[in-house]
Amino acid sequence: MDIRTPDIAAYVADVGRRARAASREMARAATDAKDRALLATAAAIRRERAALVAANAKDLDAARAAGEDPAFVDRLALTDTVIESMAAGLEQIASLPDPIGEITDLRFRPSGIQVGRMRVPLGVIGIIYESRPNVTIDAAGLCIKSGNATILRGGSEAIHSNQALAELIREGLESAGLPADAVQVIETTDRAAVGELISHPEYVDVIVPRGGKSLIERIARDSKVPTIKHLDGICHVYIDDAADLDKAVRIADNAKTQRYSPCNTMETLLVAQGIAARVLPPVGRIYVDKGVELRGCPRTREILAGAGIACAEATEEDWRTEYLAPILAIRVLADLDEAIAHIATWGSGHTDAIVTEDYSKAMRFLREVDSASVMVNASTRFADGFEYGLGAEIGISTDKLHARGPVGLDGLTSLKYVVLGSGQVRS
Amino acid sequence: MDIRTPDIAAYVADVGRRARAASREMARAATDAKDRALLATAAAIRRERAALVAANAKDLDAARAAGEDPAFVDRLALTDTVIESMAAGLEQIASLPDPIGEITDLRFRPSGIQVGRMRVPLGVIGIIYESRPNVTIDAAGLCIKSGNATILRGGSEAIHSNQALAELIREGLESAGLPADAVQVIETTDRAAVGELISHPEYVDVIVPRGGKSLIERIARDSKVPTIKHLDGICHVYIDDAADLDKAVRIADNAKTQRYSPCNTMETLLVAQGIAARVLPPVGRIYVDKGVELRGCPRTREILAGAGIACAEATEEDWRTEYLAPILAIRVLADLDEAIAHIATWGSGHTDAIVTEDYSKAMRFLREVDSASVMVNASTRFADGFEYGLGAEIGISTDKLHARGPVGLDGLTSLKYVVLGSGQVRS
């Protein structure tokens, strides 16, 4: 099914037109029909497990033959666990409330009209992602539930898996009386398809790029369609001198070591000088025990050296680096003002936390740190759609417009004004 | 004060850096300080009326010398009425609730953290507009109240007026202890400044282009910064066959003739065939009496001819034209489905209304018409920040992301997540 289309532009335009047409039907689809499509797809995924594994095997063989590293092959694999989690994910999305059609703030105005806002789908969502085939199902599920049509462009290494999954989604949509074109997978591995997909605001309302930073940067720079994205997750924990020592150690440990690769993992630990000598030795020992490489400012190194803990010298480069690895930058600062300034200068607007028992400083941190998620006395690892109660997420946004932070179903919708009158005219 | 800067790029970068620095102070400014700045500026405008008129006279003289048409000179003039309305506008903005810092939906999650959303400023707003100097005050007022810094780039024909107004705003900000750089007016008439302003996401968070369609199109196409804008206001009223005849005539009259130039004025009247013979003659007579030129489909012309009312032949071009003038396109359609399809094909997503007493059709129109404002039994002319109760508006957006419809203070803000914990870590 890996076709090489001679005229990519015409092919993507055709996909775009079908998506636009399907989006009109999806926008008025009943909740019940959308949920039936999701549940039918979940059932088909469980039923067709063998066929999915067979399609996936083609991708896995090709990836191994191409010499891809084991981590890459792992991400590509549709194991029994991944297949079950895709099906369960769709069932979970089906169980979420339908955001579409909700009317809020409907109020009478002095003119006699009632004005409110109705939540409606964005229209057509283009999703560009790398080699994890489970994203095909997650993204399709969220778009179906939110009444959008979607065009999916997964990594070319997963083309057979994605095609097989797309077939099951199509079947699920049709069984519920919804348009099969509501979810389309780009059927070519030609990279020019991405360029086309991001060039047509008439077909696509928003692009969600997921994957490595260079991919996302390139798409955001070239796209003629608005994007929902995040580039970096340079997350900070600031341990204030009024911090509870136990909470500080627990949070600094968890924010770094619970998992190293997620975007909400702490990359730089900031410590107030008044508490540094008490908090750095115990937390430093935890890091060393867990194999985390430390890079600190001179004061950090001095304190850690006094406790017999090795710590390399940090440079400015460390303040701006998202390691996604067992490496941590540490800086001792005078106070909250310096911490806020450090985060404003070096942070990426993703997730930043303060550990403090001081009410006024907690409030200042919440107000003044301009990031998608700001936290008091909690691990940055909580910045996640499920932990926030969104039920699911299509990604995390560090943009300020539209969706910010974890993006759930609401982030794939828009609010339009509705006016209910009884013949009013303007005077 | 009309300086010609040799290095526009360096000049705009300097303005951008100052704005970014000021935005941090504005984000944490107290409501009281922002309101005092607004009220002080309002008082200064009234006090310095003579100086404003003198500065404005330079612009008016230059415009007349350049042979600008009287309508243009009118828009440029700071009359007593305009000066008073600027001052009153600032006082009105001061009286609005402060949107910043509001926390909503703060809920406990099973992990024990509380998750909510806090409304915060966008940061730096760039506003690009044409020759009306009162926009300088309106835009500055909205940005101050919403805790943003702003860079204003008005039409070069209004440079002296805008400089004089900027001086008063600067004075108002300083008197309230706020940074004077929170409102900066670009001090050069060189057009390259616009190109620079829209090229630096590191200094500017959002661009609001206001003015003619070609200006807005060019800015939206070239901008590296997200924009809040609308291009066209091709607004429709659909008179359903279940319409109340009196309401239909009143709304069709008002939506077109109350004012011809606003973007929320009806440009195409759609009429169900079942009611066309009853509604078109009375409404056609009103239009003719008010000097509105009619352009209709064959069935419209037939009905109007029968009533002795002249109506030219409409072409496809009429369905896609925003006249902003006493010209109206009229089309008779079979039913609601055709009306929805006409609006989807030819509309601009601005404001569309249905006149009907039929509940199900009203609900379908509200749900299925994908415009920023959808109305039942009300004139499209109500699509306006004041009529909607926003208190003020910076413009109307036909984009789907972020702000949609009339954009008030909230449209200049963003929602970030706040997490309140008591030491929680993720397991």
Side-chain angles (χ1 to χ4, degrees), chain A residues 393-424:
Chain A
E393 73 172 40
I394 196 130
I396 292 185
S397 165
T398 56
D399 293 326
K400 288 191 194 175
L401 261 66
H402 196 67
R404 193 173 190 188
V407 181
L409 288 172
D410 279 6
L412 301 179
T413 68
S414 145
L415 290 169
K416 69 182 180 189
Y417 281 97
V418 294
V419 174
L420 305 184
S422 47
Q424 283 81 6

PDB file of all heavy atoms in Angstrom, chain A residues 393-424:
ATOM      1  N   GLU A 393      -4.813  13.492  25.939  1.00  0.00           N
ATOM      2  CA  GLU A 393      -4.167  14.684  25.391  1.00  0.00           C
ATOM      3  C   GLU A 393      -3.604  14.404  24.017  1.00  0.00           C
ATOM      4  O   GLU A 393      -3.206  13.289  23.702  1.00  0.00           O
ATOM      5  CB  GLU A 393      -3.079  15.228  26.331  1.00  0.00           C
ATOM      6  CG  GLU A 393      -1.821  14.394  26.378  1.00  0.00           C
ATOM      7  CD  GLU A 393      -0.686  15.052  27.173  1.00  0.00           C
ATOM      8  OE1 GLU A 393      -0.946  15.656  28.225  1.00  0.00           O
ATOM      9  OE2 GLU A 393       0.467  14.931  26.734  1.00  0.00           O
ATOM     10  N   ILE A 394      -3.618  15.422  23.190  1.00  0.00           N
ATOM     11  CA  ILE A 394      -3.044  15.291  21.847  1.00  0.00           C
ATOM     12  C   ILE A 394      -1.622  15.821  21.852  1.00  0.00           C
ATOM     13  O   ILE A 394      -0.867  15.644  20.900  1.00  0.00           O
ATOM     14  CB  ILE A 394      -3.920  16.017  20.803  1.00  0.00           C
ATOM     15  CG1 ILE A 394      -3.552  15.566  19.383  1.00  0.00           C
ATOM     16  CG2 ILE A 394      -3.803  17.530  20.904  1.00  0.00           C
ATOM     17  CD1 ILE A 394      -4.738  15.175  18.576  1.00  0.00           C
ATOM     18  N   GLY A 395      -1.223  16.464  22.943  1.00  0.00           N
ATOM     19  CA  GLY A 395       0.121  17.007  23.064  1.00  0.00           C
ATOM     20  C   GLY A 395       0.108  18.112  24.093  1.00  0.00           C
ATOM     21  O   GLY A 395      -0.892  18.326  24.774  1.00  0.00           O
ATOM     22  N   ILE A 396       1.243  18.776  24.224  1.00  0.00           N
ATOM     23  CA  ILE A 396       1.363  19.891  25.166  1.00  0.00           C
ATOM     24  C   ILE A 396       1.776  21.105  24.356  1.00  0.00           C
ATOM     25  O   ILE A 396       2.624  21.012  23.485  1.00  0.00           O
ATOM     26  CB  ILE A 396       2.403  19.564  26.263  1.00  0.00           C
ATOM     27  CG1 ILE A 396       1.866  18.444  27.165  1.00  0.00           C
ATOM     28  CG2 ILE A 396       2.745  20.795  27.080  1.00  0.00           C
ATOM     29  CD1 ILE A 396       2.749  18.109  28.348  1.00  0.00           C
ATOM     30  N   SER A 397       1.134  22.231  24.627  1.00  0.00           N
ATOM     31  CA  SER A 397       1.434  23.452  23.874  1.00  0.00           C
ATOM     32  C   SER A 397       2.203  24.429  24.738  1.00  0.00           C
ATOM     33  O   SER A 397       1.827  24.688  25.881  1.00  0.00           O
ATOM     34  CB  SER A 397       0.130  24.093  23.407  1.00  0.00           C
ATOM     35  OG  SER A 397       0.366  25.423  22.991  1.00  0.00           O
ATOM     36  N   THR A 398       3.281  24.969  24.188  1.00  0.00           N
ATOM     37  CA  THR A 398       3.958  26.073  24.869  1.00  0.00           C
ATOM     38  C   THR A 398       3.674  27.386  24.162  1.00  0.00           C
ATOM     39  O   THR A 398       4.276  28.408  24.473  1.00  0.00           O
ATOM     40  CB  THR A 398       5.488  25.844  24.951  1.00  0.00           C
ATOM     41  OG1 THR A 398       6.000  25.654  23.639  1.00  0.00           O
ATOM     42  CG2 THR A 398       5.819  24.638  25.799  1.00  0.00           C
ATOM     43  N   ASP A 399       2.774  27.370  23.189  1.00  0.00           N
ATOM     44  CA  ASP A 399       2.316  28.620  22.589  1.00  0.00           C
ATOM     45  C   ASP A 399       1.392  29.312  23.576  1.00  0.00           C
ATOM     46  O   ASP A 399       0.803  28.677  24.453  1.00  0.00           O
ATOM     47  CB  ASP A 399       1.551  28.333  21.294  1.00  0.00           C
ATOM     48  CG  ASP A 399       2.467  27.771  20.217  1.00  0.00           C
ATOM     49  OD1 ASP A 399       3.640  28.161  20.172  1.00  0.00           O
ATOM     50  OD2 ASP A 399       1.997  26.942  19.425  1.00  0.00           O
ATOM     51  N   LYS A 400       1.234  30.620  23.406  1.00  0.00           N
ATOM     52  CA  LYS A 400       0.334  31.341  24.307  1.00  0.00           C
ATOM     53  C   LYS A 400      -1.061  31.474  23.723  1.00  0.00           C
ATOM     54  O   LYS A 400      -2.036  31.596  24.449  1.00  0.00           O
ATOM     55  CB  LYS A 400       0.882  32.734  24.575  1.00  0.00           C
ATOM     56  CG  LYS A 400       2.109  32.724  25.464  1.00  0.00           C
ATOM     57  CD  LYS A 400       2.396  34.136  25.889  1.00  0.00           C
ATOM     58  CE  LYS A 400       3.769  34.258  26.482  1.00  0.00           C
ATOM     59  NZ  LYS A 400       4.068  35.660  26.785  1.00  0.00           N
ATOM     60  N   LEU A 401      -1.158  31.500  22.396  1.00  0.00           N
ATOM     61  CA  LEU A 401      -2.483  31.655  21.789  1.00  0.00           C
ATOM     62  C   LEU A 401      -3.191  30.306  21.736  1.00  0.00           C
ATOM     63  O   LEU A 401      -2.570  29.263  21.597  1.00  0.00           O
ATOM     64  CB  LEU A 401      -2.362  32.247  20.384  1.00  0.00           C
ATOM     65  CG  LEU A 401      -2.616  33.760  20.341  1.00  0.00           C
ATOM     66  CD1 LEU A 401      -1.532  34.509  21.091  1.00  0.00           C
ATOM     67  CD2 LEU A 401      -2.744  34.265  18.929  1.00  0.00           C
ATOM     68  N   HIS A 402      -4.522  30.366  21.829  1.00  0.00           N
ATOM     69  CA  HIS A 402      -5.360  29.175  21.765  1.00  0.00           C
ATOM     70  C   HIS A 402      -5.003  28.226  22.907  1.00  0.00           C
ATOM     71  O   HIS A 402      -5.108  28.604  24.044  1.00  0.00           O
ATOM     72  CB  HIS A 402      -5.269  28.516  20.386  1.00  0.00           C
ATOM     73  CG  HIS A 402      -6.383  27.534  20.151  1.00  0.00           C
ATOM     74  ND1 HIS A 402      -7.688  27.931  20.031  1.00  0.00           N
ATOM     75  CD2 HIS A 402      -6.383  26.188  20.064  1.00  0.00           C
ATOM     76  CE1 HIS A 402      -8.432  26.847  19.873  1.00  0.00           C
ATOM     77  NE2 HIS A 402      -7.674  25.793  19.894  1.00  0.00           N
ATOM     78  N   ALA A 403      -4.580  27.022  22.601  1.00  0.00           N
ATOM     79  CA  ALA A 403      -4.350  26.028  23.650  1.00  0.00           C
ATOM     80  C   ALA A 403      -2.994  26.240  24.292  1.00  0.00           C
ATOM     81  O   ALA A 403      -2.013  26.479  23.612  1.00  0.00           O
ATOM     82  CB  ALA A 403      -4.439  24.636  23.037  1.00  0.00           C
ATOM     83  N   ARG A 404      -2.931  26.138  25.612  1.00  0.00           N
ATOM     84  CA  ARG A 404      -1.677  26.303  26.349  1.00  0.00           C
ATOM     85  C   ARG A 404      -1.589  25.194  27.391  1.00  0.00           C
ATOM     86  O   ARG A 404      -2.538  24.964  28.125  1.00  0.00           O
ATOM     87  CB  ARG A 404      -1.686  27.673  27.028  1.00  0.00           C
ATOM     88  CG  ARG A 404      -0.346  28.105  27.556  1.00  0.00           C
ATOM     89  CD  ARG A 404      -0.382  29.538  28.062  1.00  0.00           C
ATOM     90  NE  ARG A 404       0.982  29.974  28.347  1.00  0.00           N
ATOM     91  CZ  ARG A 404       1.299  31.112  28.952  1.00  0.00           C
ATOM     92  NH1 ARG A 404       0.347  31.953  29.300  1.00  0.00           N
ATOM     93  NH2 ARG A 404       2.543  31.434  29.169  1.00  0.00           N
ATOM     94  N   GLY A 405      -0.442  24.520  27.443  1.00  0.00           N
ATOM     95  CA  GLY A 405      -0.308  23.387  28.355  1.00  0.00           C
ATOM     96  C   GLY A 405      -0.870  22.133  27.715  1.00  0.00           C
ATOM     97  O   GLY A 405      -1.018  22.064  26.487  1.00  0.00           O
ATOM     98  N   PRO A 406      -1.176  21.096  28.525  1.00  0.00           N
ATOM     99  CA  PRO A 406      -1.727  19.863  27.956  1.00  0.00           C
ATOM    100  C   PRO A 406      -2.991  20.158  27.150  1.00  0.00           C
ATOM    101  O   PRO A 406      -3.866  20.887  27.605  1.00  0.00           O
ATOM    102  CB  PRO A 406      -2.038  19.014  29.199  1.00  0.00           C
ATOM    103  CG  PRO A 406      -1.090  19.518  30.242  1.00  0.00           C
ATOM    104  CD  PRO A 406      -0.966  20.994  29.984  1.00  0.00           C
ATOM    105  N   VAL A 407      -3.072  19.609  25.941  1.00  0.00           N
ATOM    106  CA  VAL A 407      -4.188  19.888  25.037  1.00  0.00           C
ATOM    107  C   VAL A 407      -5.092  18.670  24.970  1.00  0.00           C
ATOM    108  O   VAL A 407      -4.681  17.619  24.475  1.00  0.00           O
ATOM    109  CB  VAL A 407      -3.676  20.249  23.621  1.00  0.00           C
ATOM    110  CG1 VAL A 407      -4.845  20.556  22.702  1.00  0.00           C
ATOM    111  CG2 VAL A 407      -2.710  21.420  23.681  1.00  0.00           C
ATOM    112  N   GLY A 408      -6.287  18.801  25.498  1.00  0.00           N
ATOM    113  CA  GLY A 408      -7.262  17.716  25.437  1.00  0.00           C
ATOM    114  C   GLY A 408      -8.301  18.006  24.361  1.00  0.00           C
ATOM    115  O   GLY A 408      -8.046  18.728  23.399  1.00  0.00           O
ATOM    116  N   LEU A 409      -9.481  17.442  24.528  1.00  0.00           N
ATOM    117  CA  LEU A 409     -10.534  17.629  23.529  1.00  0.00           C
ATOM    118  C   LEU A 409     -10.844  19.106  23.318  1.00  0.00           C
ATOM    119  O   LEU A 409     -11.013  19.557  22.180  1.00  0.00           O
ATOM    120  CB  LEU A 409     -11.809  16.896  23.965  1.00  0.00           C
ATOM    121  CG  LEU A 409     -11.770  15.363  23.896  1.00  0.00           C
ATOM    122  CD1 LEU A 409     -13.021  14.792  24.541  1.00  0.00           C
ATOM    123  CD2 LEU A 409     -11.638  14.884  22.457  1.00  0.00           C
ATOM    124  N   ASP A 410     -10.912  19.886  24.394  1.00  0.00           N
ATOM    125  CA  ASP A 410     -11.251  21.304  24.262  1.00  0.00           C
ATOM    126  C   ASP A 410     -10.281  22.053  23.358  1.00  0.00           C
ATOM    127  O   ASP A 410     -10.653  23.006  22.676  1.00  0.00           O
ATOM    128  CB  ASP A 410     -11.265  21.994  25.633  1.00  0.00           C
ATOM    129  CG  ASP A 410     -12.571  21.755  26.377  1.00  0.00           C
ATOM    130  OD1 ASP A 410     -13.410  20.972  25.876  1.00  0.00           O
ATOM    131  OD2 ASP A 410     -12.751  22.349  27.442  1.00  0.00           O
ATOM    132  N   GLY A 411      -9.008  21.643  23.375  1.00  0.00           N
ATOM    133  CA  GLY A 411      -8.002  22.317  22.549  1.00  0.00           C
ATOM    134  C   GLY A 411      -8.235  22.108  21.063  1.00  0.00           C
ATOM    135  O   GLY A 411      -7.686  22.832  20.231  1.00  0.00           O
ATOM    136  N   LEU A 412      -9.067  21.119  20.718  1.00  0.00           N
ATOM    137  CA  LEU A 412      -9.388  20.863  19.308  1.00  0.00           C
ATOM    138  C   LEU A 412     -10.720  21.507  18.939  1.00  0.00           C
ATOM    139  O   LEU A 412     -11.326  21.167  17.926  1.00  0.00           O
ATOM    140  CB  LEU A 412      -9.425  19.355  19.054  1.00  0.00           C
ATOM    141  CG  LEU A 412      -8.114  18.629  19.363  1.00  0.00           C
ATOM    142  CD1 LEU A 412      -8.247  17.133  19.117  1.00  0.00           C
ATOM    143  CD2 LEU A 412      -6.974  19.194  18.511  1.00  0.00           C
ATOM    144  N   THR A 413     -11.183  22.416  19.783  1.00  0.00           N
ATOM    145  CA  THR A 413     -12.453  23.086  19.535  1.00  0.00           C
ATOM    146  C   THR A 413     -12.253  24.593  19.539  1.00  0.00           C
ATOM    147  O   THR A 413     -11.186  25.088  19.889  1.00  0.00           O
ATOM    148  CB  THR A 413     -13.489  22.743  20.626  1.00  0.00           C
ATOM    149  OG1 THR A 413     -13.071  23.325  21.866  1.00  0.00           O
ATOM    150  CG2 THR A 413     -13.659  21.246  20.783  1.00  0.00           C
ATOM    151  N   SER A 414     -13.306  25.296  19.188  1.00  0.00           N
ATOM    152  CA  SER A 414     -13.291  26.746  19.157  1.00  0.00           C
ATOM    153  C   SER A 414     -14.628  27.204  19.742  1.00  0.00           C
ATOM    154  O   SER A 414     -15.583  26.432  19.800  1.00  0.00           O
ATOM    155  CB  SER A 414     -13.127  27.147  17.686  1.00  0.00           C
ATOM    156  OG  SER A 414     -13.809  28.298  17.352  1.00  0.00           O
ATOM    157  N   LEU A 415     -14.674  28.438  20.227  1.00  0.00           N
ATOM    158  CA  LEU A 415     -15.926  28.969  20.769  1.00  0.00           C
ATOM    159  C   LEU A 415     -16.478  30.020  19.815  1.00  0.00           C
ATOM    160  O   LEU A 415     -15.804  31.005  19.523  1.00  0.00           O
ATOM    161  CB  LEU A 415     -15.682  29.607  22.141  1.00  0.00           C
ATOM    162  CG  LEU A 415     -15.352  28.652  23.281  1.00  0.00           C
ATOM    163  CD1 LEU A 415     -14.879  29.419  24.507  1.00  0.00           C
ATOM    164  CD2 LEU A 415     -16.572  27.811  23.640  1.00  0.00           C
ATOM    165  N   LYS A 416     -17.691  29.812  19.325  1.00  0.00           N
ATOM    166  CA  LYS A 416     -18.308  30.850  18.505  1.00  0.00           C
ATOM    167  C   LYS A 416     -19.410  31.513  19.326  1.00  0.00           C
ATOM    168  O   LYS A 416     -19.930  30.935  20.284  1.00  0.00           O
ATOM    169  CB  LYS A 416     -18.847  30.277  17.195  1.00  0.00           C
ATOM    170  CG  LYS A 416     -20.040  29.350  17.311  1.00  0.00           C
ATOM    171  CD  LYS A 416     -20.438  28.825  15.912  1.00  0.00           C
ATOM    172  CE  LYS A 416     -21.640  27.897  15.990  1.00  0.00           C
ATOM    173  NZ  LYS A 416     -21.905  27.213  14.710  1.00  0.00           N
ATOM    174  N   TYR A 417     -19.753  32.725  18.952  1.00  0.00           N
ATOM    175  CA  TYR A 417     -20.840  33.415  19.633  1.00  0.00           C
ATOM    176  C   TYR A 417     -22.183  32.967  19.070  1.00  0.00           C
ATOM    177  O   TYR A 417     -22.329  32.802  17.858  1.00  0.00           O
ATOM    178  CB  TYR A 417     -20.709  34.931  19.464  1.00  0.00           C
ATOM    179  CG  TYR A 417     -19.695  35.542  20.391  1.00  0.00           C
ATOM    180  CD1 TYR A 417     -18.398  35.801  19.971  1.00  0.00           C
ATOM    181  CD2 TYR A 417     -20.026  35.844  21.711  1.00  0.00           C
ATOM    182  CE1 TYR A 417     -17.454  36.351  20.830  1.00  0.00           C
ATOM    183  CE2 TYR A 417     -19.092  36.395  22.571  1.00  0.00           C
ATOM    184  CZ  TYR A 417     -17.811  36.646  22.127  1.00  0.00           C
ATOM    185  OH  TYR A 417     -16.887  37.192  22.992  1.00  0.00           O
ATOM    186  N   VAL A 418     -23.143  32.767  19.968  1.00  0.00           N
ATOM    187  CA  VAL A 418     -24.514  32.534  19.531  1.00  0.00           C
ATOM    188  C   VAL A 418     -25.376  33.656  20.099  1.00  0.00           C
ATOM    189  O   VAL A 418     -25.186  34.088  21.235  1.00  0.00           O
ATOM    190  CB  VAL A 418     -25.064  31.157  19.974  1.00  0.00           C
ATOM    191  CG1 VAL A 418     -24.314  30.037  19.274  1.00  0.00           C
ATOM    192  CG2 VAL A 418     -24.983  30.969  21.472  1.00  0.00           C
ATOM    193  N   VAL A 419     -26.272  34.135  19.274  1.00  0.00           N
ATOM    194  CA  VAL A 419     -27.176  35.214  19.682  1.00  0.00           C
ATOM    195  C   VAL A 419     -28.603  34.733  19.483  1.00  0.00           C
ATOM    196  O   VAL A 419     -28.972  34.317  18.377  1.00  0.00           O
ATOM    197  CB  VAL A 419     -26.923  36.492  18.861  1.00  0.00           C
ATOM    198  CG1 VAL A 419     -27.963  37.557  19.189  1.00  0.00           C
ATOM    199  CG2 VAL A 419     -25.512  37.025  19.114  1.00  0.00           C
ATOM    200  N   LEU A 420     -29.394  34.741  20.561  1.00  0.00           N
ATOM    201  CA  LEU A 420     -30.796  34.345  20.468  1.00  0.00           C
ATOM    202  C   LEU A 420     -31.641  35.606  20.613  1.00  0.00           C
ATOM    203  O   LEU A 420     -31.589  36.280  21.649  1.00  0.00           O
ATOM    204  CB  LEU A 420     -31.141  33.350  21.579  1.00  0.00           C
ATOM    205  CG  LEU A 420     -30.263  32.096  21.651  1.00  0.00           C
ATOM    206  CD1 LEU A 420     -30.789  31.147  22.734  1.00  0.00           C
ATOM    207  CD2 LEU A 420     -30.208  31.386  20.309  1.00  0.00           C
ATOM    208  N   GLY A 421     -32.392  35.918  19.586  1.00  0.00           N
ATOM    209  CA  GLY A 421     -33.214  37.115  19.621  1.00  0.00           C
ATOM    210  C   GLY A 421     -34.672  36.784  19.444  1.00  0.00           C
ATOM    211  O   GLY A 421     -35.070  35.632  19.270  1.00  0.00           O
ATOM    212  N   SER A 422     -35.500  37.828  19.477  1.00  0.00           N
ATOM    213  CA  SER A 422     -36.918  37.657  19.175  1.00  0.00           C
ATOM    214  C   SER A 422     -37.342  38.815  18.288  1.00  0.00           C
ATOM    215  O   SER A 422     -38.370  39.427  18.493  1.00  0.00           O
ATOM    216  CB  SER A 422     -37.729  37.606  20.473  1.00  0.00           C
ATOM    217  OG  SER A 422     -37.335  38.651  21.351  1.00  0.00           O
ATOM    218  N   GLY A 423     -36.482  39.106  17.312  1.00  0.00           N
ATOM    219  CA  GLY A 423     -36.788  40.153  16.357  1.00  0.00           C
ATOM    220  C   GLY A 423     -36.036  41.454  16.591  1.00  0.00           C
ATOM    221  O   GLY A 423     -36.312  42.453  15.923  1.00  0.00           O
ATOM    222  N   GLN A 424     -35.051  41.437  17.500  1.00  0.00           N
ATOM    223  CA  GLN A 424     -34.339  42.687  17.813  1.00  0.00           C
ATOM    224  C   GLN A 424     -33.545  43.242  16.620  1.00  0.00           C
ATOM    225  O   GLN A 424     -32.963  42.478  15.855  1.00  0.00           O
ATOM    226  CB  GLN A 424     -33.353  42.483  18.974  1.00  0.00           C
ATOM    227  CG  GLN A 424     -33.986  42.429  20.341  1.00  0.00           C
ATOM    228  CD  GLN A 424     -34.575  41.055  20.661  1.00  0.00           C
ATOM    229  OE1 GLN A 424     -34.417  40.110  19.892  1.00  0.00           O
ATOM    230  NE2 GLN A 424     -35.262  40.969  21.768  1.00  0.00           N
TER     231      GLN A 424
END
